[in-house]
């Protein structure tokens, strides 16, 4: 019996390690030292959603939803695009600013910009009796706002997990928003360490 329990624990530990968030940084993040505020930009270039390109995923979902209820797929698509502009950047920036003490806004031109590109997006699901957590993988570039072609530093965060503690994250934006929050917090940790 002890052997079975030990093997099960080893299995779950291995699974957790395989799915753990991974972070890598390169270049000079010290450029952010002393900065009170930075501009931000969010992109979704070449993003994969699960095992598909974003375009293929969207075409499939819109078609499926419209087949069930005319117009529902188009509404779903509009919400998907809206979340990319309004929900995910806010989720990321709130926790980045909170934990790094560097504000993010685009109200005026700041010396530096952080550009967050989403490389991978797993929306997950929650149907009450069964669930799969969401997660995102992002590449973050830091550059002088006036010279975006010269990247000063880069941070990649793989598999930032997303789920709410309450378990009531039935909407994609809730689960994925949490993943972006986690990524923002992790990025703040990397930056804070670099600019000590």
């Amino acid at each position: 019996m002890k052997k079975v329990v030990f093997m099960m624990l080893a299995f779950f530990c291995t699974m957790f390690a395989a799915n753990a968030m991974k972070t890598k940084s390169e270049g000079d993040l010290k450029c952010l030292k002393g900065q009170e505020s930075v501009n931000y930009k969010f992109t979704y270039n070449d993003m994969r959603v699960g095992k598909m390109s974003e375009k293929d995923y969207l075409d499939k979902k819109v078609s499926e939803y419209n087949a069930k209820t005319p117009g529902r797929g188009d509404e779903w698509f509009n919400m998907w695009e809206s979340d990319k502009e309004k929900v995910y950047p806010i989720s990321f920036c709130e926790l980045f600013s909170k934990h790094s003490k560097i504000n993010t806004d685009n109200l005026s031109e700041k010396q530096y910009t952080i550009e967050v590109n989403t490389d991978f997006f797993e929306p997950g699901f929650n149907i009450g009796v069964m669930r799969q957590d969401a997660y995102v993988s992002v590449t973050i570039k830091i550059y002088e706002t006036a010279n975006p072609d010269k990247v000063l530093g880069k941070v990649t965060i793989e598999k930032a997990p997303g789920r709410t503690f309450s378990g009531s994250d039935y909407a994609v934006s809730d689960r994925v928003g949490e993943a972006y929050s986690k990524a923002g917090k992790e990025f703040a940790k990397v930056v804070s360490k670099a600019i000590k």
Side-chain angles (χ1 to χ4, degrees), residues 127-193:
I127 55 173
V129 294
M130 227 170 112
R131 67 171 295 127
Q132 178 183 326
D133 293 345
Y135 61 87
V136 296
S137 296
V138 296
T139 299
I140 306 158
K141 296 176 184 175
I142 300 103
Y143 52 79
E144 285 189 18
T145 303
N147 190 9
D149 292 331
K150 187 178 178 185
V151 176
L152 302 172
K154 186 165 79 168
V155 175
T156 55
I157 300 170
E158 293 181 17
K159 293 189 175 179
R163 77 176 288 170
T164 62
F165 289 115
S166 66
S168 60
D169 50 3
Y170 300 109
V172 171
S173 59
D174 292 341
R175 293 187 301 275
V176 177
E178 283 297 310
Y180 279 98
S181 293
K182 181 69 175 169
K185 184 177 179 181
E186 181 69 10
F187 180 51
K189 192 165 92 176
V190 172
V191 168
S192 299
K193 187 177 177 183

Side-chain angles (χ1 to χ4, degrees), residues 22-184:
K22 296 175 187 167
T23 305
K24 185 174 120 184
S25 86
E26 54 189 76
D28 180 19
L29 304 183
K30 289 187 180 182
C31 60
L32 296 179
K33 188 166 188 171
Q35 299 300 309
E36 291 182 6
S37 188
V38 294
N39 291 137
Y40 66 90
K41 181 179 180 182
F42 272 71
T43 57
Y44 302 87
N45 300 326
D46 301 318
M47 181 172 83
R48 305 284 302 170
V49 181
K51 297 179 179 178
M52 308 170 87
S53 70
E54 183 186 21
K55 182 184 183 314
D56 289 346
Y57 178 79
L58 295 178
D59 288 347
K60 178 177 181 285
K61 292 302 249 183
V62 168
S63 176
E64 286 174 355
Y65 284 138
N66 278 338
K68 288 178 185 173
T69 307
R72 182 174 173 222
D74 302 313
E75 287 174 17
W76 178 87
F77 175 81
N78 291 336
M79 189 172 290
W80 176 276
E81 291 299 314
S82 176
D83 290 344
K84 284 166 50 179
E85 286 182 32
K86 298 176 182 171
V87 176
Y88 306 142
I90 290 170
S91 298
F92 180 95
C93 289
E94 274 183 357
L95 260 70
F96 169 71
S97 295
K98 178 180 176 182
H99 292 280
S100 69
K101 308 300 184 209
I102 300 173
N103 292 319
T104 52
D105 73 63
N106 290 329
L107 300 175
S108 61
E109 190 169 292
K110 308 296 186 296
Q111 184 176 1
Y112 295 103
T113 294
I114 59 169
E115 181 178 314
V116 182
N117 186 69
T118 303
D119 306 313
F120 185 82
F121 184 113
E122 171 52 60
F125 61 85
N126 183 352
I127 55 173
V129 294
M130 227 170 112
R131 67 171 295 127
Q132 178 183 326
D133 293 345
Y135 61 87
V136 296
S137 296
V138 296
T139 299
I140 306 158
K141 296 176 184 175
I142 300 103
Y143 52 79
E144 285 189 18
T145 303
N147 190 9
D149 292 331
K150 187 178 178 185
V151 176
L152 302 172
K154 186 165 79 168
V155 175
T156 55
I157 300 170
E158 293 181 17
K159 293 189 175 179
R163 77 176 288 170
T164 62
F165 289 115
S166 66
S168 60
D169 50 3
Y170 300 109
V172 171
S173 59
D174 292 341
R175 293 187 301 275
V176 177
E178 283 297 310
Y180 279 98
S181 293
K182 181 69 175 169

